[in-house]
Amino acid sequence: MTNEFVLEAITREFPESVLNSSEPYGFLTVEVKKQDIKKIVHYLQESTLGINFLTDICGIHYPEFQEKELGVIYHLHNMQTNFRIRLKVFMSREKNEVDSLTELYSGANWMERETFDFYGIKFKGHPDLRVILNDPGLGYHPMLKEYKLEDGTRTDKDDKMFGR
């Protein structure tokens, strides 16, 4: 199974969904419309492509791009042929919701909760979307690039020690 073969299969089945594709370091990476991600993953899982293992789900934040500020990255794997694919979806901060994959992969449960916890991305249809790693009273999502690098509340720091 080659990158070209898989990309052609996805494009043939979902011609309007594929927005962009690349092969960094030989790793097929496909950007798709966020409303189609569940259908595409289901197709990859159930078709003869046999891409049936969800390796990881993670978030990404690009504050400089308004329409593509938040993203979710899905890493999928065919264990028999050792073929891997990366799918990406992007969204604005105001529309930070994407379909949950927990119906397709039970392992998506904790991965989506972690992504919600750190980036604030909501997964529509998730059975128990709540904070799991951070303090529930934290008040912000720590992986979003919206905080100052210096913590003004610290009193135990002496700037003279750091040449400032």
Side-chain angles (χ1 to χ4, degrees), residues 2 4 6 10-11 15 18 22 34 37 39 48 50 55 57 59 67 85 93 104 113 118 130 135-136 145-146 150:
T2 65
E4 294 79 21
V6 174
I10 294 170
T11 307
V18 176
S22 62
K34 77 172 186 169
I37 187 67
K39 291 186 287 190
T48 57
T55 306
I57 298 174
E67 291 302 311
I85 184 171
R93 191 79 177 268
L104 303 176
R113 286 176 69 182
F118 284 109
R130 61 186 161 97
D135 179 8
K145 299 171 185 148
E146 58 186 13
E150 293 290 330

Side-chain angles (χ1 to χ4, degrees), residues 18-85:
V18 176
L19 302 174
N20 191 4
S21 68
S22 62
E23 294 183 33
Y25 304 103
F27 191 179
L28 179 59
T29 303
V30 183
E31 181 184 343
V32 299
K33 292 181 179 177
K34 77 172 186 169
Q35 62 268 24
D36 297 333
I37 187 67
K38 191 171 186 175
K39 291 186 287 190
I40 293 171
V41 171
H42 186 261
Y43 168 74
L44 293 173
Q45 184 184 41
E46 295 297 322
S47 71
T48 57
L49 297 173
I51 300 172
N52 53 11
F53 184 76
L54 177 66
T55 306
D56 193 21
I57 298 174
C58 56
I60 194 162
H61 183 214
Y62 293 116
E64 62 274 10
F65 302 117
Q66 293 271 320
E67 291 302 311
K68 292 184 169 187
E69 185 173 353
L70 293 173
V72 181
I73 303 167
Y74 301 87
H75 293 254
L76 299 152
H77 193 162
N78 178 325
M79 300 293 264
Q80 293 165 329
T81 63
N82 198 29
F83 180 82
R84 300 180 308 147
I85 184 171

